[in-house]
Amino acid sequence: MSREDAFNQIGRDAVKQNIYGTMSFLLSYPPFNQMETHHLAWMVEHCLLRFFGAGDSIIRPTAGPVQHFHIVKQGRVRGERLLAGQSAPETTFEISVGECFPLAALIGERATRTEHVAAEDTFCLMLPREDFQELVRLSSAFRDFALRGVSSLLDQVNQQAKRQAREAMGEMYSLETPLDRLALRNPVACEGATPIRSAVRRMHEASVGSIVVTDADAVPQGIFTLRDLRQLVAEGEMDLQQPISRVMTRAPCCLPVNATAFDAAIAMTREHIGHICVIRGQSLVGVVSERDLFALQRVDLVHLARAISNAANTAELVALRADIHRLVDNMLAHGASASQITHIITLLNDQTTVRVIELCLRQHGDPGVPFTWLCFGSEARREQTLHTDQDNGILFDAANDEEADRIRQSLLPLARQVNRMLADCGFTLCVGNIMAGNPELCLAQHEWRRRFKECIRSATPQNLLASSIFFDLRVVWGPREGAESLFHEVLELVADAPSFQLMLARNALAHKPPLGFFKGFRVSGRGDEKHTVDLKIQGLTPFVDAARILALANGIRETGTTQRLAQLKQRGVLDALDADAYEEAYQFIQLLRMQQHQSQESLQRAFSNRLAPASLNQLDQRILRESFRQAQRLQSSLSTRYQL
């Protein structure tokens, strides 16, 4: 018997002598706690236990296809990879007790790309490759984990959140509910020639607030609501015998049956409407009202948006901001995703900004010059949380620099008033003065074009910092054409500037995910923030920066990080599985950040992005480590792509 065979036999005997203890250990960690007992027992019976001294290599890329599935039973394992331009390998991740490796290599029946080294004296449970493949076939829970990795862990967190929400608030639908489960069946409808009196009678008899006007094929042509009826009565010029087609709202908002309640809420909030037609193909099958969504979430999102848009003064807007906080509380309780919550927060923030501009125009007077209010950074990416500051600017048309100076002087007083009122509403003044009231950010289109060209042609530290802000750009108020034309030119400039792309890529590697040697995390901070990580700078920023450079380099117009990742996946720039893992990791870190902000607000503490990993439960700690590893993988991919 060879020495290797002898070690393996000793390892098998060690497991067999303590099968119950090994199973009890594994039941504390996913996915093993999700497996059928007999499948888990089968796995344990086929495992062996192996000791690795500190510094020992467990798996090497040069050793050929991986032969064992490893589970860390005691100790710690680090992944080391020699990156381009480095003389010594760099630790790219760490694996703690209860975690396993290397799934991707086993599934792909290939060698690992990273050397796995014992960071300290370590014991691993090892399952031979053939038995691993058999376990994938036998156990659906293990197969799901093996094929999906972090995705299946996130599913467990989401299911746990939903269970807790149901226990706390009772059974109800979620924002993920398809509209075909919410929509009113047999919706009240009529043809365009129907007299108003008859249409209103049908609405009254059915106790509904709307009637859909359809053609002979049941395709919606218009909608008539109680609000429309009140307006007709108020105007005093109502002939009830005239056809409903004369007074209906044409081209009603329609969503397909597989759209979600979240899609309907966003559409109602954005368009200031109270009813959505639900269609299959082109034909009407139902109607969803804001009342349905109110019952769904116990928060009247559409009413809140309408109240913001009609606020009479700053005091009303400030009061309504508290309702936004309560809305976020409810959405978190119902297990809404991070992207859903940030999308709605940004949408309501946009509407607050629009109302502030309208109130300031009323108070200050119309400057007589058309202008566009721009937002940058997280607001442009639709990734705002409750803790946000202002990043905005103004774009206008001018024939030359002299005219631009004259127009700028007429707009700056208004812009500064808007900035002040937004600050009163809770949008902190930007410490870097990235605000429309700054003359350097109240620019004519040709001046903005010149500024972007300067950023691209001269990659100074200041210009790189500006690029990370201004290259996420979106219109909040005013004409859109100028900004869209400007951004199209920016994409063309970036595509023709490989040296600028290289600088942006190098800049995107500046913020390293905080994976280190203290229980898997590299923690820092002082005072109350000792032993913490920065979820924004160290967790979210690596995804944001990498997605931005890849999107700009590939002519993608989307500004949101998740939307950019989706486009990069669709175009084949990123592998589909990698892109999904990056998005899930980003969403999880964002969700933790929002939950922390909500907790800080309830305790009346200052908002902070710093989190103590030790304060999380075991599953959340594991997923946070995996999420940081995904950030490392994305940065490593970017480094390889640009040969950094």
Side-chain angles (χ1 to χ4, degrees), residues 392-439:
N392 46 53
I394 283 180
L395 178 148
F396 56 87
D397 284 329
N400 50 52
D401 287 350
E402 290 74 17
E403 184 180 7
D405 285 336
R406 178 179 58 79
I407 294 175
R408 184 165 26 256
Q409 295 310 310
S410 69
L411 290 174
L412 283 173
L414 171 66
R416 288 165 182 158
Q417 185 180 0
V418 172
N419 288 144
R420 288 192 296 270
M421 189 178 289
L422 285 173
D424 292 339
C425 292
F427 299 86
T428 309
L429 294 172
C430 177
V431 294
N433 203 20
I434 309 297
M435 295 185 292
N438 179 351

Short mmCIF file of all heavy atoms in Angstrom, two decimals, residues 392-439:
data_model
loop_
_atom_site.label_atom_id
_atom_site.label_comp_id
_atom_site.label_asym_id
_atom_site.label_seq_id
_atom_site.Cartn_x
_atom_site.Cartn_y
_atom_site.Cartn_z
N ASN A 392 -25.53 66.68 -8.71
CA ASN A 392 -26.38 67.16 -9.79
C ASN A 392 -25.72 68.28 -10.57
O ASN A 392 -24.67 68.82 -10.17
CB ASN A 392 -27.75 67.61 -9.26
CG ASN A 392 -27.65 68.48 -8.02
OD1 ASN A 392 -26.94 69.47 -8.00
ND2 ASN A 392 -28.37 68.10 -6.96
N GLY A 393 -26.30 68.60 -11.70
CA GLY A 393 -25.78 69.65 -12.57
C GLY A 393 -26.86 70.14 -13.51
O GLY A 393 -27.98 69.62 -13.52
N ILE A 394 -26.52 71.14 -14.30
CA ILE A 394 -27.47 71.72 -15.26
C ILE A 394 -26.84 71.74 -16.64
O ILE A 394 -25.64 72.00 -16.80
CB ILE A 394 -27.88 73.15 -14.83
CG1 ILE A 394 -28.91 73.09 -13.69
CG2 ILE A 394 -28.44 73.95 -16.00
CD1 ILE A 394 -29.36 74.43 -13.19
N LEU A 395 -27.65 71.45 -17.62
CA LEU A 395 -27.25 71.51 -19.04
C LEU A 395 -28.20 72.45 -19.76
O LEU A 395 -29.43 72.39 -19.55
CB LEU A 395 -27.27 70.12 -19.66
CG LEU A 395 -26.93 69.97 -21.14
CD1 LEU A 395 -26.24 68.64 -21.40
CD2 LEU A 395 -28.17 70.07 -22.03
N PHE A 396 -27.65 73.32 -20.62
CA PHE A 396 -28.48 74.22 -21.42
C PHE A 396 -27.80 74.44 -22.77
O PHE A 396 -26.65 74.03 -22.97
CB PHE A 396 -28.71 75.55 -20.69
CG PHE A 396 -27.43 76.27 -20.30
CD1 PHE A 396 -26.79 77.13 -21.19
CD2 PHE A 396 -26.86 76.07 -19.04
CE1 PHE A 396 -25.62 77.79 -20.84
CE2 PHE A 396 -25.68 76.72 -18.68
CZ PHE A 396 -25.06 77.58 -19.58
N ASP A 397 -28.50 75.08 -23.68
CA ASP A 397 -27.96 75.38 -25.01
C ASP A 397 -27.44 76.81 -25.06
O ASP A 397 -28.07 77.73 -24.52
CB ASP A 397 -29.02 75.18 -26.09
CG ASP A 397 -29.27 73.71 -26.38
OD1 ASP A 397 -28.31 72.91 -26.26
OD2 ASP A 397 -30.41 73.36 -26.71
N ALA A 398 -26.31 76.99 -25.72
CA ALA A 398 -25.75 78.33 -25.94
C ALA A 398 -24.90 78.28 -27.20
O ALA A 398 -24.27 77.27 -27.50
CB ALA A 398 -24.91 78.78 -24.75
N ALA A 399 -24.89 79.40 -27.92
CA ALA A 399 -24.18 79.44 -29.20
C ALA A 399 -22.67 79.52 -29.00
O ALA A 399 -21.90 79.03 -29.83
CB ALA A 399 -24.67 80.62 -30.03
N ASN A 400 -22.22 80.16 -27.91
CA ASN A 400 -20.79 80.34 -27.68
C ASN A 400 -20.54 80.55 -26.19
O ASN A 400 -21.47 80.57 -25.38
CB ASN A 400 -20.26 81.54 -28.49
CG ASN A 400 -21.14 82.77 -28.28
OD1 ASN A 400 -21.41 83.16 -27.14
ND2 ASN A 400 -21.60 83.36 -29.38
N ASP A 401 -19.26 80.73 -25.82
CA ASP A 401 -18.91 80.87 -24.41
C ASP A 401 -19.51 82.13 -23.80
O ASP A 401 -19.91 82.13 -22.62
CB ASP A 401 -17.38 80.91 -24.25
CG ASP A 401 -16.75 79.54 -24.48
OD1 ASP A 401 -17.50 78.54 -24.56
OD2 ASP A 401 -15.50 79.46 -24.57
N GLU A 402 -19.57 83.21 -24.56
CA GLU A 402 -20.12 84.46 -24.01
C GLU A 402 -21.60 84.31 -23.67
O GLU A 402 -22.05 84.72 -22.60
CB GLU A 402 -19.94 85.61 -25.03
CG GLU A 402 -18.50 86.06 -25.23
CD GLU A 402 -17.69 85.07 -26.06
OE1 GLU A 402 -18.31 84.20 -26.75
OE2 GLU A 402 -16.45 85.14 -26.02
N GLU A 403 -22.35 83.69 -24.57
CA GLU A 403 -23.77 83.47 -24.30
C GLU A 403 -23.93 82.49 -23.14
O GLU A 403 -24.83 82.65 -22.31
CB GLU A 403 -24.48 82.94 -25.54
CG GLU A 403 -25.99 82.79 -25.34
CD GLU A 403 -26.71 82.26 -26.57
OE1 GLU A 403 -26.03 81.87 -27.55
OE2 GLU A 403 -27.95 82.22 -26.53
N ALA A 404 -23.05 81.50 -23.09
CA ALA A 404 -23.12 80.53 -22.00
C ALA A 404 -22.92 81.22 -20.65
O ALA A 404 -23.62 80.92 -19.67
CB ALA A 404 -22.08 79.44 -22.19
N ASP A 405 -21.96 82.15 -20.57
CA ASP A 405 -21.73 82.88 -19.32
C ASP A 405 -22.97 83.68 -18.91
O ASP A 405 -23.33 83.72 -17.73
CB ASP A 405 -20.53 83.83 -19.46
CG ASP A 405 -19.21 83.09 -19.43
OD1 ASP A 405 -19.17 81.98 -18.86
OD2 ASP A 405 -18.21 83.60 -19.98
N ARG A 406 -23.60 84.30 -19.87
CA ARG A 406 -24.79 85.11 -19.57
C ARG A 406 -25.93 84.23 -19.06
O ARG A 406 -26.58 84.55 -18.05
CB ARG A 406 -25.22 85.89 -20.81
CG ARG A 406 -26.47 86.73 -20.61
CD ARG A 406 -26.82 87.49 -21.88
NE ARG A 406 -27.03 86.60 -23.02
CZ ARG A 406 -28.16 85.91 -23.21
NH1 ARG A 406 -29.15 85.97 -22.33
NH2 ARG A 406 -28.29 85.14 -24.28
N ILE A 407 -26.15 83.11 -19.74
CA ILE A 407 -27.23 82.21 -19.32
C ILE A 407 -26.92 81.60 -17.95
O ILE A 407 -27.80 81.47 -17.09
CB ILE A 407 -27.44 81.10 -20.38
CG1 ILE A 407 -27.96 81.71 -21.69
CG2 ILE A 407 -28.39 80.03 -19.86
CD1 ILE A 407 -28.08 80.72 -22.82
N ARG A 408 -25.66 81.26 -17.75
CA ARG A 408 -25.26 80.65 -16.48
C ARG A 408 -25.58 81.58 -15.30
O ARG A 408 -26.09 81.13 -14.27
CB ARG A 408 -23.76 80.33 -16.52
CG ARG A 408 -23.27 79.62 -15.30
CD ARG A 408 -21.90 78.96 -15.45
NE ARG A 408 -21.04 79.58 -16.43
CZ ARG A 408 -20.80 79.07 -17.64
NH1 ARG A 408 -21.39 77.94 -18.02
NH2 ARG A 408 -20.00 79.68 -18.48
N GLN A 409 -25.28 82.86 -15.46
CA GLN A 409 -25.55 83.80 -14.37
C GLN A 409 -27.04 83.91 -14.07
O GLN A 409 -27.43 84.17 -12.92
CB GLN A 409 -24.98 85.18 -14.73
CG GLN A 409 -23.46 85.22 -14.84
CD GLN A 409 -22.77 84.60 -13.64
OE1 GLN A 409 -23.09 84.92 -12.50
NE2 GLN A 409 -21.82 83.70 -13.90
N SER A 410 -27.88 83.68 -15.07
CA SER A 410 -29.34 83.73 -14.83
C SER A 410 -29.85 82.45 -14.17
O SER A 410 -30.89 82.48 -13.50
CB SER A 410 -30.08 83.97 -16.15
OG SER A 410 -29.99 82.84 -17.00
N LEU A 411 -29.12 81.33 -14.34
CA LEU A 411 -29.58 80.05 -13.80
C LEU A 411 -29.01 79.74 -12.42
O LEU A 411 -29.64 79.01 -11.64
CB LEU A 411 -29.19 78.91 -14.76
CG LEU A 411 -29.95 78.84 -16.09
CD1 LEU A 411 -29.35 77.75 -16.98
CD2 LEU A 411 -31.42 78.58 -15.86
N LEU A 412 -27.84 80.27 -12.09
CA LEU A 412 -27.18 79.90 -10.84
C LEU A 412 -28.00 80.23 -9.59
O LEU A 412 -28.06 79.40 -8.66
CB LEU A 412 -25.79 80.54 -10.76
CG LEU A 412 -24.71 79.86 -11.61
CD1 LEU A 412 -23.41 80.66 -11.58
CD2 LEU A 412 -24.45 78.44 -11.10
N PRO A 413 -28.64 81.40 -9.50
CA PRO A 413 -29.45 81.65 -8.28
C PRO A 413 -30.55 80.62 -8.09
O PRO A 413 -30.80 80.18 -6.97
CB PRO A 413 -30.02 83.06 -8.54
CG PRO A 413 -29.05 83.69 -9.48
CD PRO A 413 -28.59 82.59 -10.38
N LEU A 414 -31.20 80.23 -9.19
CA LEU A 414 -32.24 79.21 -9.11
C LEU A 414 -31.63 77.88 -8.69
O LEU A 414 -32.18 77.17 -7.82
CB LEU A 414 -32.94 79.07 -10.46
CG LEU A 414 -33.92 77.90 -10.60
CD1 LEU A 414 -35.12 78.09 -9.67
CD2 LEU A 414 -34.37 77.75 -12.05
N ALA A 415 -30.51 77.51 -9.29
CA ALA A 415 -29.86 76.23 -8.98
C ALA A 415 -29.48 76.16 -7.50
O ALA A 415 -29.68 75.12 -6.84
CB ALA A 415 -28.62 76.04 -9.85
N ARG A 416 -28.95 77.25 -6.95
CA ARG A 416 -28.56 77.25 -5.54
C ARG A 416 -29.76 77.15 -4.62
O ARG A 416 -29.71 76.51 -3.57
CB ARG A 416 -27.74 78.50 -5.26
CG ARG A 416 -26.35 78.43 -5.90
CD ARG A 416 -25.66 79.76 -5.95
NE ARG A 416 -24.35 79.63 -6.61
CZ ARG A 416 -23.69 80.64 -7.18
NH1 ARG A 416 -24.22 81.87 -7.19
NH2 ARG A 416 -22.53 80.43 -7.76
N GLN A 417 -30.87 77.77 -5.04
CA GLN A 417 -32.08 77.65 -4.24
C GLN A 417 -32.59 76.21 -4.24
O GLN A 417 -33.02 75.68 -3.21
CB GLN A 417 -33.16 78.59 -4.77
CG GLN A 417 -34.42 78.61 -3.92
CD GLN A 417 -35.48 79.55 -4.47
OE1 GLN A 417 -35.28 80.20 -5.49
NE2 GLN A 417 -36.62 79.63 -3.78
N VAL A 418 -32.50 75.54 -5.41
CA VAL A 418 -32.91 74.13 -5.50
C VAL A 418 -32.02 73.28 -4.61
O VAL A 418 -32.50 72.41 -3.86
CB VAL A 418 -32.86 73.64 -6.96
CG1 VAL A 418 -33.09 72.12 -7.02
CG2 VAL A 418 -33.90 74.36 -7.82
N ASN A 419 -30.71 73.52 -4.65
CA ASN A 419 -29.78 72.76 -3.80
C ASN A 419 -30.11 72.94 -2.32
O ASN A 419 -30.10 71.97 -1.55
CB ASN A 419 -28.33 73.19 -4.06
CG ASN A 419 -27.79 72.73 -5.41
OD1 ASN A 419 -27.01 73.43 -6.06
ND2 ASN A 419 -28.18 71.54 -5.83
N ARG A 420 -30.41 74.17 -1.92
CA ARG A 420 -30.73 74.42 -0.51
C ARG A 420 -32.02 73.71 -0.10
O ARG A 420 -32.12 73.12 0.99
CB ARG A 420 -30.84 75.92 -0.25
CG ARG A 420 -29.50 76.66 -0.26
CD ARG A 420 -29.65 78.06 0.30
NE ARG A 420 -30.54 78.89 -0.51
CZ ARG A 420 -30.15 79.65 -1.53
NH1 ARG A 420 -28.87 79.68 -1.86
NH2 ARG A 420 -31.02 80.37 -2.21
N MET A 421 -33.05 73.79 -0.97
CA MET A 421 -34.33 73.17 -0.63
C MET A 421 -34.19 71.65 -0.59
O MET A 421 -34.79 70.98 0.27
CB MET A 421 -35.41 73.59 -1.61
CG MET A 421 -36.81 73.16 -1.18
SD MET A 421 -38.14 73.69 -2.30
CE MET A 421 -38.17 75.46 -1.97
N LEU A 422 -33.42 71.09 -1.50
CA LEU A 422 -33.18 69.64 -1.46
C LEU A 422 -32.47 69.24 -0.16
O LEU A 422 -32.77 68.20 0.43
CB LEU A 422 -32.34 69.21 -2.66
CG LEU A 422 -33.07 69.15 -4.01
CD1 LEU A 422 -32.09 68.87 -5.14
CD2 LEU A 422 -34.17 68.09 -3.99
N ALA A 423 -31.55 70.09 0.29
CA ALA A 423 -30.88 69.81 1.57
C ALA A 423 -31.88 69.82 2.71
O ALA A 423 -31.81 68.99 3.63
CB ALA A 423 -29.77 70.84 1.81
N ASP A 424 -32.84 70.75 2.67
CA ASP A 424 -33.89 70.79 3.69
C ASP A 424 -34.72 69.50 3.68
O ASP A 424 -35.24 69.07 4.72
CB ASP A 424 -34.82 71.99 3.46
CG ASP A 424 -34.12 73.32 3.71
OD1 ASP A 424 -33.10 73.33 4.43
OD2 ASP A 424 -34.60 74.35 3.17
N CYS A 425 -34.83 68.89 2.50
CA CYS A 425 -35.61 67.65 2.36
C CYS A 425 -34.81 66.40 2.70
O CYS A 425 -35.33 65.29 2.58
CB CYS A 425 -36.15 67.53 0.93
SG CYS A 425 -37.40 68.77 0.51
N GLY A 426 -33.56 66.57 3.11
CA GLY A 426 -32.77 65.42 3.53
C GLY A 426 -31.70 64.99 2.56
O GLY A 426 -30.97 64.01 2.82
N PHE A 427 -31.56 65.68 1.41
CA PHE A 427 -30.50 65.35 0.45
C PHE A 427 -29.27 66.18 0.82
O PHE A 427 -29.18 67.36 0.47
CB PHE A 427 -30.95 65.66 -0.98
CG PHE A 427 -32.15 64.90 -1.44
CD1 PHE A 427 -33.43 65.37 -1.16
CD2 PHE A 427 -32.03 63.71 -2.11
CE1 PHE A 427 -34.55 64.68 -1.57
CE2 PHE A 427 -33.14 63.00 -2.52
CZ PHE A 427 -34.40 63.48 -2.25
N THR A 428 -28.33 65.57 1.50
CA THR A 428 -27.19 66.29 2.05
C THR A 428 -26.43 67.05 0.96
O THR A 428 -26.26 66.54 -0.16
CB THR A 428 -26.22 65.30 2.73
OG1 THR A 428 -26.97 64.49 3.63
CG2 THR A 428 -25.13 66.02 3.47
N LEU A 429 -25.98 68.27 1.29
CA LEU A 429 -25.14 69.01 0.36
C LEU A 429 -23.85 68.24 0.11
O LEU A 429 -23.25 67.71 1.04
CB LEU A 429 -24.83 70.40 0.91
CG LEU A 429 -26.02 71.36 1.06
CD1 LEU A 429 -25.58 72.62 1.81
CD2 LEU A 429 -26.59 71.73 -0.31
N CYS A 430 -23.44 68.17 -1.13
CA CYS A 430 -22.24 67.42 -1.50
C CYS A 430 -20.99 68.13 -0.99
O CYS A 430 -20.77 69.31 -1.29
CB CYS A 430 -22.17 67.26 -3.02
SG CYS A 430 -20.68 66.42 -3.60
N VAL A 431 -20.16 67.41 -0.22
CA VAL A 431 -18.95 68.02 0.34
C VAL A 431 -17.96 68.39 -0.76
O VAL A 431 -17.15 69.30 -0.59
CB VAL A 431 -18.29 67.08 1.37
CG1 VAL A 431 -19.18 66.90 2.58
CG2 VAL A 431 -17.96 65.73 0.74
N GLY A 432 -18.06 67.70 -1.90
CA GLY A 432 -17.18 68.02 -3.03
C GLY A 432 -17.77 69.06 -3.96
O GLY A 432 -17.19 69.35 -5.02
N ASN A 433 -18.92 69.63 -3.58
CA ASN A 433 -19.60 70.67 -4.36
C ASN A 433 -19.98 70.19 -5.76
O ASN A 433 -19.96 70.96 -6.72
CB ASN A 433 -18.75 71.94 -4.44
CG ASN A 433 -19.60 73.18 -4.73
OD1 ASN A 433 -20.81 73.17 -4.51
ND2 ASN A 433 -18.96 74.23 -5.23
N ILE A 434 -20.33 68.90 -5.87
CA ILE A 434 -20.82 68.38 -7.15
C ILE A 434 -22.31 68.70 -7.21
O ILE A 434 -23.18 67.85 -7.03
CB ILE A 434 -20.59 66.86 -7.29
CG1 ILE A 434 -19.14 66.51 -6.99
CG2 ILE A 434 -20.98 66.38 -8.69
CD1 ILE A 434 -18.14 67.11 -7.94
N MET A 435 -22.61 69.98 -7.44
CA MET A 435 -24.00 70.44 -7.41
C MET A 435 -24.22 71.51 -8.48
O MET A 435 -23.29 72.22 -8.88
CB MET A 435 -24.35 71.00 -6.03
CG MET A 435 -24.31 69.95 -4.92
SD MET A 435 -24.86 70.59 -3.32
CE MET A 435 -23.52 71.72 -2.94
N ALA A 436 -25.48 71.61 -8.89
CA ALA A 436 -25.83 72.51 -9.99
C ALA A 436 -25.53 73.96 -9.66
O ALA A 436 -25.33 74.79 -10.56
CB ALA A 436 -27.30 72.35 -10.34
N GLY A 437 -25.52 74.31 -8.36
CA GLY A 437 -25.21 75.68 -7.97
C GLY A 437 -23.75 76.05 -8.13
O GLY A 437 -23.37 77.22 -7.98
N ASN A 438 -22.90 75.07 -8.45
CA ASN A 438 -21.48 75.31 -8.73
C ASN A 438 -21.36 75.73 -10.19
O ASN A 438 -21.78 75.00 -11.09
CB ASN A 438 -20.70 74.02 -8.47
CG ASN A 438 -19.22 74.14 -8.75
OD1 ASN A 438 -18.76 75.14 -9.31
ND2 ASN A 438 -18.47 73.12 -8.39
N PRO A 439 -20.78 76.92 -10.48
CA PRO A 439 -20.67 77.37 -11.88
C PRO A 439 -20.00 76.36 -12.80
O PRO A 439 -20.29 76.33 -14.00
CB PRO A 439 -19.83 78.65 -11.76
CG PRO A 439 -20.02 79.12 -10.36
CD PRO A 439 -20.20 77.88 -9.53
#
